[in-house]
């Protein structure tokens, strides 16, 4: 059986845009992905508030993705594929986009060069899922300027992924953030993301 790790933030965890907690198990995109694959284990490691490499010192837990990814690789290894889906919080909290995309690259490097400590284990493949852009909502923090920044992050993330030769998937090509909070996905959209990733993951695991 092959193993896939989905390492992300609240979009991976399954936050509901109405503030009502977590989507049902069957609606979260990693579980939809799991249901569409044969003989594959999909592990969800989604942490609300997680960034690529930034410290959120006022948060109740460690939100720095780079600090937590090595432990996740050890915990869930051996792995055949690691799906990295981060960057939305870097944008939302206003971190420089240059740091955010460099942080994304660093996460890819961590997977590619991590000592898995499992005899004869191959280096996992990596897929970057670039989050969809923000949309207008009643949250005063989500300004037109922040929405424009989210568009720029998507473009920069694609360019950086191409530069380091890692496959990427633009979540915004199949889903749209909810106007309830401007950033999270409703149940239909998170299911749509999982469905769209099924053929992508099948190709990567077969290749």
């Amino acid at each position: 059986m092959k193993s896939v790790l989905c390492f992300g933030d609240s979009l991976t965890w399954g936050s509901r845009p109405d503030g009502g907690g977590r989507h049902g198990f069957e609606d979260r995109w990693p579980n939809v992905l799991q249901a569409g694959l044969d003989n594959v284990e999909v592990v969800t490691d989604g942490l609300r508030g997680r960034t690529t490499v930034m410290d959120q010192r006022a948060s109740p837990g460690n939100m720095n993705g780079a600090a937590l990814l090595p432990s996740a690789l050890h915990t869930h290894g051996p792995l055949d594929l690691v799906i990295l889906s981060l960057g939305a919080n870097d944008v939302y909290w206003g971190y420089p986009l240059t740091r955010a995309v460099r942080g994304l690259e660093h996460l890819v490097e961590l997977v590619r060069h991590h000592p898995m400590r499992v005899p004869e284990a191959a280096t996992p493949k990596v897929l970057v899922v670039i989050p969809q852009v923000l949309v207008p909502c009643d949250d005063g923090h989500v300004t037109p300027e922040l929405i424009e920044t989210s568009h720029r992050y998507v473009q920069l993330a694609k360019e950086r992924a191409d530069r380091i030769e890692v496959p990427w998937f633009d979540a915004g090509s199949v889903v749209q953030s909810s106007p309830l909070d401007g950033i999270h996905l409703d149940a239909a959209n998170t299911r749509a993301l999982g469905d769209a990733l099924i053929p992508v993951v099948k190709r990567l695991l077969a290749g």
Side-chain angles (χ1 to χ4, degrees), residues 111-164:
V111 178
R112 286 175 168 173
H113 303 294
H114 184 71
M116 299 301 168
R117 296 186 179 176
V118 178
E120 301 180 1
T123 301
K125 296 179 180 179
V126 183
L127 172 66
V128 169
V129 173
I130 302 170
Q132 74 283 351
V133 298
L134 303 178
V135 299
C137 64
D138 290 336
D139 183 352
H141 182 78
V142 182
T143 62
E145 292 76 18
L146 191 63
I147 293 172
E148 175 58 28
T149 298
S150 72
H151 282 270
R152 288 194 285 118
Y153 175 75
V154 169
Q155 185 58 40
L156 290 173
K158 291 177 181 178
E159 293 172 359
R160 184 59 62 100
D162 286 339
R163 184 187 309 174
I164 62 176

Side-chain angles (χ1 to χ4, degrees), residues 195-206:
D195 283 332
L197 287 172
I198 292 170
V200 178
V201 170
K202 282 183 176 180
R203 286 195 299 269
L204 288 171
L205 293 178

Side-chain angles (χ1 to χ4, degrees), residues 64-98:
N64 185 323
L68 299 172
L69 180 56
S71 294
L73 295 174
H74 261 46
T75 300
H76 303 296
L79 294 161
D80 297 280
L81 173 67
V82 176
I83 300 177
L84 300 173
S85 182
L86 289 168
N89 287 304
D90 301 60
V91 171
Y92 187 82
W93 294 115
Y95 290 108
L97 294 185
T98 52

Side-chain angles (χ1 to χ4, degrees), residues 45-64:
D45 192 329
L47 175 63
R48 290 170 291 170
R50 179 180 281 159
T51 65
T52 55
V53 298
M54 318 300 179
D55 291 321
Q56 297 277 59
R57 299 193 182 280
S59 296
N62 190 342
M63 301 300 170
N64 185 323

Side-chain angles (χ1 to χ4, degrees), residues 21-42:
R22 196 176 192 184
H23 284 300
F25 181 90
E26 68 281 0
D27 291 327
R28 303 170 208 158
W29 71 258
N31 299 333
V32 174
L33 174 63
Q34 168 80 81
L37 301 173
D38 294 324
N39 201 34
V40 177
E41 176 191 27
V42 177

